[in-house]
Amino acid sequence: MTGDPRMKPAVGETPEWEAAYRRTRRSIPKRKKRLSFFDWPDRTVKILDLGSGDGLDLQALREMGYQNVIAFDASSHLLSNVTGTRVVGDAHFPPFDSNSLDVVLANSVLHHFDFPEMVGEVARILKPGGCFCFMEPRPSFPRQLLDVLTMSDLAGRLVPYFKHRKEGLLEEYEVHYRWLDLYPSVESLLDQNGFRSQKVLLTMVGVFAQWKLEPPPHSGTTG
Ligand SMILES: C[S@@+](CC[C@H](N)C(=O)[O-])C[C@H]1O[C@@H](n2cnc3c(N)ncnc32)[C@H](O)[C@@H]1O
């Protein structure tokens, strides 16, 4: 593992957040089903799992036959559970060569980042034609309802899921709502950075999206 001296402290490193994170979203079969939404050319693609946490998507991807996956996260503690290639760092300064990756995968992490600041870095490290794939929250009425239930003490007493979700949501409250506010501009930010939409699925509370980095226009002479 390597570190980056510019790294800022990341959301997701407090013991409370980590305990809440470890109680939710653990199912590998569910992750495989979600990941199968994406269309990648073949099983040899080089994938960066941006904000990989403790490597559950990496495990799911391996079971799906993808062996060339890098786990990248700000938390060395979460990464210590990952077997395989793992890199500690800040997504705003990803320590990867330009044009070096086929896929950048972001599962429930973009809301942790300053998206306008880091989207250009995703474009830099992807190969032309490479894919930026993400699964993130989106503003919707069912999400509003979910968040209201999550914050309700009564719902938390009746259904442990809400209680655990509340611990995580409180920890990342500010970034969660900052992302939902930014969401209407995400498409144009991707567009400005050279991405074209390939596939989108709107779920009741989130979005699955695959954007392709367009090769730069030819600069050679004509005629
Ligand atoms: C909600 S978790 C998602 C983890 C994983 N993708 C998953 O699906 O289980 C968000 C992750 O983003 C990481 N993170 C937060 N800020 C980061 C940053 N600036 N750079 C890299 N990782 C960051 C946290 O350490 C945490 O592991």
Side-chain angles (χ1 to χ4, degrees):
M1 289 196 277
T2 55
D4 184 324
R6 294 167 298 181
M7 268 176 63
K8 305 169 207 152
V11 176
E13 291 195 299
T14 67
E16 294 77 17
W17 183 90
E18 197 181 316
Y21 165 63
R22 285 190 190 283
R23 279 195 216 99
T24 55
R25 308 172 62 250
R26 308 304 294 172
S27 160
I28 298 294
K30 275 191 194 156
R31 283 178 180 260
K32 282 161 78 171
K33 194 166 169 222
R34 289 184 184 144
L35 288 165
S36 66
F37 166 78
F38 299 114
D39 280 336
W40 300 330
D42 55 53
R43 295 286 194 270
T44 66
V45 284
K46 189 169 182 184
I47 304 172
L48 180 70
D49 186 358
L50 191 67
S52 58
D54 58 2
L56 293 173
D57 278 342
L58 187 123
Q59 190 184 332
L61 288 166
R62 281 208 187 115
E63 290 182 17
M64 293 163 78
Y66 296 96
Q67 298 301 327
N68 203 357
V69 188
I70 303 167
F72 177 55
D73 200 280
S75 165
S76 52
H77 185 54
L78 285 173
L79 276 180
S80 63
N81 298 306
V82 175
T83 52
T85 311
R86 55 206 170 136
V87 177
V88 183
D90 186 329
H92 303 88
F93 316 103
F96 303 100
D97 289 340
S98 301
N99 307 335
S100 62
L101 298 155
D102 300 298
V103 174
V104 171
L105 173 69
N107 183 355
S108 309
V109 290
L110 296 182
H111 58 284
H112 287 275
F113 307 150
D114 182 337
F115 185 72
E117 194 187 308
M118 56 76 68
V119 62
E121 281 296 285
V122 177
R124 180 185 67 76
I125 60 181
L126 272 174
K127 295 176 188 167
C131 297
F132 183 22
C133 300
F134 54 86
M135 298 177 259
E136 292 294 324
R138 72 177 180 97
S140 65
F141 177 68
R143 167 160 296 280
Q144 265 179 316
L145 195 62
L146 176 67
D147 287 353
V148 168
L149 283 172
T150 299
M151 298 310 289
S152 144
D153 287 341
L154 178 63
R157 275 200 296 276
L158 295 174
V159 185
Y161 168 80
F162 289 124
K163 181 172 168 283
H164 300 321
R165 188 170 183 273
K166 182 175 181 179
E167 287 156 9
L169 184 59
L170 282 178
E171 189 68 27
E172 51 180 63
Y173 202 82
E174 199 186 317
V175 292
H176 177 78
Y177 288 103
R178 184 187 66 186
W179 166 259
L180 294 181
D181 285 347
L182 178 80
Y183 185 83
S185 347
V186 165
E187 279 196 12
S188 66
L189 285 165
L190 286 161
D191 194 59
Q192 285 158 29
N193 281 278
F195 290 97
R196 296 294 165 261
S197 176
Q198 278 194 305
K199 249 186 134 178
V200 185
L201 172 71
L202 298 181
T203 67
M204 285 207 290
V205 295
V207 58
F208 290 29
Q210 175 163 331
W211 288 70
K212 183 178 171 181
L213 184 65
E214 291 284 288
H218 286 296
S219 54
T221 53
T222 52

